Amino acid sequence: GTKFVHVFYQFARYVMIEDMKKLSVGTGIPFAEAVMQRPEDMYIAKARHRVAYNKLLQILQREDFVVQEYKGKKR
């Protein structure tokens, strides 16, 4: 349900940030630090979060639909 999607989104975000931290060590690219900073305009940040969250939800729903269709045709 929606709680699972939210937890999954938060976990994916955490993994992405940790991966960026590891990959940016020694490169002189402060990208990971920039991701962790709080944005100046929280309204825009929240809007971007909603867009990303809804896109992830759409992708998961589409994947579930394809899996259900595949299972239906398999029988």
Side-chain angles (χ1 to χ4, degrees), residues 36-54:
M36 296 306 293
Q37 291 179 353
R38 293 195 56 86
E40 292 178 17
D41 189 354
M42 284 303 292
Y43 177 77
I44 292 176
K46 287 180 181 181
R48 287 180 178 160
H49 175 268
R50 281 192 306 272
V51 168
Y53 182 80
N54 288 335

PDB file of all heavy atoms in Angstrom, residues 36-54:
ATOM      1  N   MET A  36      22.412  16.970   0.793  1.00  0.00           N
ATOM      2  CA  MET A  36      22.019  16.935   2.200  1.00  0.00           C
ATOM      3  C   MET A  36      21.626  18.303   2.755  1.00  0.00           C
ATOM      4  O   MET A  36      21.032  18.389   3.818  1.00  0.00           O
ATOM      5  CB  MET A  36      23.162  16.343   3.048  1.00  0.00           C
ATOM      6  CG  MET A  36      23.478  14.900   2.713  1.00  0.00           C
ATOM      7  SD  MET A  36      22.049  13.809   2.783  1.00  0.00           S
ATOM      8  CE  MET A  36      21.684  13.854   4.523  1.00  0.00           C
ATOM      9  N   GLN A  37      21.935  19.390   2.060  1.00  0.00           N
ATOM     10  CA  GLN A  37      21.581  20.717   2.550  1.00  0.00           C
ATOM     11  C   GLN A  37      20.084  20.959   2.415  1.00  0.00           C
ATOM     12  O   GLN A  37      19.436  20.433   1.518  1.00  0.00           O
ATOM     13  CB  GLN A  37      22.338  21.789   1.763  1.00  0.00           C
ATOM     14  CG  GLN A  37      23.818  21.796   2.033  1.00  0.00           C
ATOM     15  CD  GLN A  37      24.520  22.854   1.208  1.00  0.00           C
ATOM     16  OE1 GLN A  37      23.933  23.491   0.347  1.00  0.00           O
ATOM     17  NE2 GLN A  37      25.800  23.038   1.464  1.00  0.00           N
ATOM     18  N   ARG A  38      19.557  21.769   3.304  1.00  0.00           N
ATOM     19  CA  ARG A  38      18.145  22.134   3.229  1.00  0.00           C
ATOM     20  C   ARG A  38      17.960  23.209   2.168  1.00  0.00           C
ATOM     21  O   ARG A  38      18.720  24.171   2.124  1.00  0.00           O
ATOM     22  CB  ARG A  38      17.651  22.627   4.578  1.00  0.00           C
ATOM     23  CG  ARG A  38      17.637  21.502   5.611  1.00  0.00           C
ATOM     24  CD  ARG A  38      16.837  21.820   6.838  1.00  0.00           C
ATOM     25  NE  ARG A  38      15.470  22.199   6.637  1.00  0.00           N
ATOM     26  CZ  ARG A  38      14.442  21.353   6.537  1.00  0.00           C
ATOM     27  NH1 ARG A  38      14.653  20.077   6.565  1.00  0.00           N
ATOM     28  NH2 ARG A  38      13.219  21.811   6.419  1.00  0.00           N
ATOM     29  N   PRO A  39      16.955  23.056   1.322  1.00  0.00           N
ATOM     30  CA  PRO A  39      16.720  24.066   0.284  1.00  0.00           C
ATOM     31  C   PRO A  39      16.195  25.374   0.880  1.00  0.00           C
ATOM     32  O   PRO A  39      15.596  25.383   1.951  1.00  0.00           O
ATOM     33  CB  PRO A  39      15.673  23.415  -0.611  1.00  0.00           C
ATOM     34  CG  PRO A  39      14.996  22.420   0.255  1.00  0.00           C
ATOM     35  CD  PRO A  39      16.016  21.954   1.253  1.00  0.00           C
ATOM     36  N   GLU A  40      16.422  26.444   0.137  1.00  0.00           N
ATOM     37  CA  GLU A  40      15.946  27.745   0.598  1.00  0.00           C
ATOM     38  C   GLU A  40      14.430  27.843   0.492  1.00  0.00           C
ATOM     39  O   GLU A  40      13.775  28.398   1.362  1.00  0.00           O
ATOM     40  CB  GLU A  40      16.588  28.852  -0.230  1.00  0.00           C
ATOM     41  CG  GLU A  40      18.074  28.985  -0.002  1.00  0.00           C
ATOM     42  CD  GLU A  40      18.700  30.047  -0.873  1.00  0.00           C
ATOM     43  OE1 GLU A  40      17.973  30.895  -1.417  1.00  0.00           O
ATOM     44  OE2 GLU A  40      19.934  30.033  -1.009  1.00  0.00           O
ATOM     45  N   ASP A  41      13.871  27.319  -0.564  1.00  0.00           N
ATOM     46  CA  ASP A  41      12.426  27.382  -0.781  1.00  0.00           C
ATOM     47  C   ASP A  41      11.817  25.999  -0.534  1.00  0.00           C
ATOM     48  O   ASP A  41      11.871  25.124  -1.391  1.00  0.00           O
ATOM     49  CB  ASP A  41      12.131  27.843  -2.207  1.00  0.00           C
ATOM     50  CG  ASP A  41      10.655  28.149  -2.429  1.00  0.00           C
ATOM     51  OD1 ASP A  41       9.851  27.888  -1.512  1.00  0.00           O
ATOM     52  OD2 ASP A  41      10.326  28.644  -3.521  1.00  0.00           O
ATOM     53  N   MET A  42      11.261  25.815   0.650  1.00  0.00           N
ATOM     54  CA  MET A  42      10.708  24.508   1.014  1.00  0.00           C
ATOM     55  C   MET A  42       9.487  24.153   0.177  1.00  0.00           C
ATOM     56  O   MET A  42       9.203  22.976  -0.041  1.00  0.00           O
ATOM     57  CB  MET A  42      10.349  24.472   2.506  1.00  0.00           C
ATOM     58  CG  MET A  42      11.551  24.339   3.410  1.00  0.00           C
ATOM     59  SD  MET A  42      12.562  22.888   3.062  1.00  0.00           S
ATOM     60  CE  MET A  42      11.462  21.585   3.546  1.00  0.00           C
ATOM     61  N   TYR A  43       8.760  25.137  -0.306  1.00  0.00           N
ATOM     62  CA  TYR A  43       7.588  24.853  -1.141  1.00  0.00           C
ATOM     63  C   TYR A  43       8.005  24.127  -2.412  1.00  0.00           C
ATOM     64  O   TYR A  43       7.405  23.132  -2.794  1.00  0.00           O
ATOM     65  CB  TYR A  43       6.853  26.151  -1.486  1.00  0.00           C
ATOM     66  CG  TYR A  43       5.682  25.925  -2.407  1.00  0.00           C
ATOM     67  CD1 TYR A  43       4.482  25.401  -1.923  1.00  0.00           C
ATOM     68  CD2 TYR A  43       5.781  26.195  -3.764  1.00  0.00           C
ATOM     69  CE1 TYR A  43       3.412  25.168  -2.771  1.00  0.00           C
ATOM     70  CE2 TYR A  43       4.718  25.970  -4.621  1.00  0.00           C
ATOM     71  CZ  TYR A  43       3.540  25.447  -4.117  1.00  0.00           C
ATOM     72  OH  TYR A  43       2.485  25.207  -4.964  1.00  0.00           O
ATOM     73  N   ILE A  44       9.055  24.632  -3.066  1.00  0.00           N
ATOM     74  CA  ILE A  44       9.538  23.987  -4.292  1.00  0.00           C
ATOM     75  C   ILE A  44      10.104  22.609  -3.975  1.00  0.00           C
ATOM     76  O   ILE A  44       9.887  21.644  -4.716  1.00  0.00           O
ATOM     77  CB  ILE A  44      10.585  24.880  -4.992  1.00  0.00           C
ATOM     78  CG1 ILE A  44       9.898  26.135  -5.530  1.00  0.00           C
ATOM     79  CG2 ILE A  44      11.298  24.127  -6.113  1.00  0.00           C
ATOM     80  CD1 ILE A  44      10.834  27.143  -6.145  1.00  0.00           C
ATOM     81  N   ALA A  45      10.808  22.488  -2.866  1.00  0.00           N
ATOM     82  CA  ALA A  45      11.374  21.193  -2.480  1.00  0.00           C
ATOM     83  C   ALA A  45      10.262  20.169  -2.239  1.00  0.00           C
ATOM     84  O   ALA A  45      10.363  19.023  -2.674  1.00  0.00           O
ATOM     85  CB  ALA A  45      12.232  21.346  -1.232  1.00  0.00           C
ATOM     86  N   LYS A  46       9.207  20.586  -1.556  1.00  0.00           N
ATOM     87  CA  LYS A  46       8.100  19.670  -1.301  1.00  0.00           C
ATOM     88  C   LYS A  46       7.374  19.306  -2.592  1.00  0.00           C
ATOM     89  O   LYS A  46       6.948  18.166  -2.774  1.00  0.00           O
ATOM     90  CB  LYS A  46       7.130  20.282  -0.291  1.00  0.00           C
ATOM     91  CG  LYS A  46       7.680  20.293   1.113  1.00  0.00           C
ATOM     92  CD  LYS A  46       6.697  20.916   2.094  1.00  0.00           C
ATOM     93  CE  LYS A  46       7.282  20.941   3.487  1.00  0.00           C
ATOM     94  NZ  LYS A  46       6.368  21.520   4.462  1.00  0.00           N
ATOM     95  N   ALA A  47       7.257  20.257  -3.500  1.00  0.00           N
ATOM     96  CA  ALA A  47       6.621  19.979  -4.788  1.00  0.00           C
ATOM     97  C   ALA A  47       7.446  18.970  -5.578  1.00  0.00           C
ATOM     98  O   ALA A  47       6.901  18.032  -6.175  1.00  0.00           O
ATOM     99  CB  ALA A  47       6.448  21.266  -5.587  1.00  0.00           C
ATOM    100  N   ARG A  48       8.762  19.139  -5.590  1.00  0.00           N
ATOM    101  CA  ARG A  48       9.633  18.176  -6.276  1.00  0.00           C
ATOM    102  C   ARG A  48       9.526  16.796  -5.645  1.00  0.00           C
ATOM    103  O   ARG A  48       9.541  15.781  -6.338  1.00  0.00           O
ATOM    104  CB  ARG A  48      11.076  18.659  -6.244  1.00  0.00           C
ATOM    105  CG  ARG A  48      11.329  19.815  -7.167  1.00  0.00           C
ATOM    106  CD  ARG A  48      12.765  20.249  -7.109  1.00  0.00           C
ATOM    107  NE  ARG A  48      13.001  21.340  -8.034  1.00  0.00           N
ATOM    108  CZ  ARG A  48      14.009  22.175  -7.958  1.00  0.00           C
ATOM    109  NH1 ARG A  48      14.894  22.042  -6.997  1.00  0.00           N
ATOM    110  NH2 ARG A  48      14.145  23.135  -8.849  1.00  0.00           N
ATOM    111  N   HIS A  49       9.454  16.762  -4.320  1.00  0.00           N
ATOM    112  CA  HIS A  49       9.302  15.484  -3.616  1.00  0.00           C
ATOM    113  C   HIS A  49       8.006  14.804  -4.029  1.00  0.00           C
ATOM    114  O   HIS A  49       7.975  13.608  -4.296  1.00  0.00           O
ATOM    115  CB  HIS A  49       9.333  15.719  -2.102  1.00  0.00           C
ATOM    116  CG  HIS A  49       9.063  14.495  -1.313  1.00  0.00           C
ATOM    117  ND1 HIS A  49       7.799  14.146  -0.898  1.00  0.00           N
ATOM    118  CD2 HIS A  49       9.881  13.509  -0.883  1.00  0.00           C
ATOM    119  CE1 HIS A  49       7.853  13.017  -0.236  1.00  0.00           C
ATOM    120  NE2 HIS A  49       9.105  12.608  -0.207  1.00  0.00           N
ATOM    121  N   ARG A  50       6.912  15.567  -4.087  1.00  0.00           N
ATOM    122  CA  ARG A  50       5.622  14.989  -4.488  1.00  0.00           C
ATOM    123  C   ARG A  50       5.677  14.447  -5.914  1.00  0.00           C
ATOM    124  O   ARG A  50       5.139  13.384  -6.202  1.00  0.00           O
ATOM    125  CB  ARG A  50       4.511  16.033  -4.368  1.00  0.00           C
ATOM    126  CG  ARG A  50       4.015  16.240  -2.950  1.00  0.00           C
ATOM    127  CD  ARG A  50       2.727  17.058  -2.922  1.00  0.00           C
ATOM    128  NE  ARG A  50       2.823  18.324  -3.632  1.00  0.00           N
ATOM    129  CZ  ARG A  50       3.238  19.460  -3.094  1.00  0.00           C
ATOM    130  NH1 ARG A  50       3.603  19.494  -1.835  1.00  0.00           N
ATOM    131  NH2 ARG A  50       3.277  20.569  -3.809  1.00  0.00           N
ATOM    132  N   VAL A  51       6.331  15.185  -6.799  1.00  0.00           N
ATOM    133  CA  VAL A  51       6.443  14.733  -8.196  1.00  0.00           C
ATOM    134  C   VAL A  51       7.229  13.421  -8.252  1.00  0.00           C
ATOM    135  O   VAL A  51       6.815  12.466  -8.916  1.00  0.00           O
ATOM    136  CB  VAL A  51       7.097  15.816  -9.077  1.00  0.00           C
ATOM    137  CG1 VAL A  51       7.477  15.265 -10.440  1.00  0.00           C
ATOM    138  CG2 VAL A  51       6.168  17.009  -9.228  1.00  0.00           C
ATOM    139  N   ALA A  52       8.365  13.371  -7.560  1.00  0.00           N
ATOM    140  CA  ALA A  52       9.186  12.155  -7.568  1.00  0.00           C
ATOM    141  C   ALA A  52       8.437  10.993  -6.929  1.00  0.00           C
ATOM    142  O   ALA A  52       8.471   9.860  -7.427  1.00  0.00           O
ATOM    143  CB  ALA A  52      10.500  12.405  -6.836  1.00  0.00           C
ATOM    144  N   TYR A  53       7.750  11.254  -5.833  1.00  0.00           N
ATOM    145  CA  TYR A  53       6.986  10.224  -5.134  1.00  0.00           C
ATOM    146  C   TYR A  53       5.868   9.681  -6.022  1.00  0.00           C
ATOM    147  O   TYR A  53       5.680   8.471  -6.138  1.00  0.00           O
ATOM    148  CB  TYR A  53       6.414  10.828  -3.848  1.00  0.00           C
ATOM    149  CG  TYR A  53       5.649   9.864  -2.995  1.00  0.00           C
ATOM    150  CD1 TYR A  53       6.321   8.974  -2.158  1.00  0.00           C
ATOM    151  CD2 TYR A  53       4.259   9.845  -2.993  1.00  0.00           C
ATOM    152  CE1 TYR A  53       5.624   8.097  -1.356  1.00  0.00           C
ATOM    153  CE2 TYR A  53       3.559   8.969  -2.205  1.00  0.00           C
ATOM    154  CZ  TYR A  53       4.242   8.097  -1.378  1.00  0.00           C
ATOM    155  OH  TYR A  53       3.546   7.225  -0.594  1.00  0.00           O
ATOM    156  N   ASN A  54       5.147  10.570  -6.686  1.00  0.00           N
ATOM    157  CA  ASN A  54       4.062  10.142  -7.572  1.00  0.00           C
ATOM    158  C   ASN A  54       4.596   9.370  -8.771  1.00  0.00           C
ATOM    159  O   ASN A  54       3.977   8.404  -9.217  1.00  0.00           O
ATOM    160  CB  ASN A  54       3.228  11.336  -8.028  1.00  0.00           C
ATOM    161  CG  ASN A  54       2.372  11.883  -6.909  1.00  0.00           C
ATOM    162  OD1 ASN A  54       2.037  11.181  -5.974  1.00  0.00           O
ATOM    163  ND2 ASN A  54       2.037  13.155  -6.989  1.00  0.00           N
TER     164      ASN A  54
END
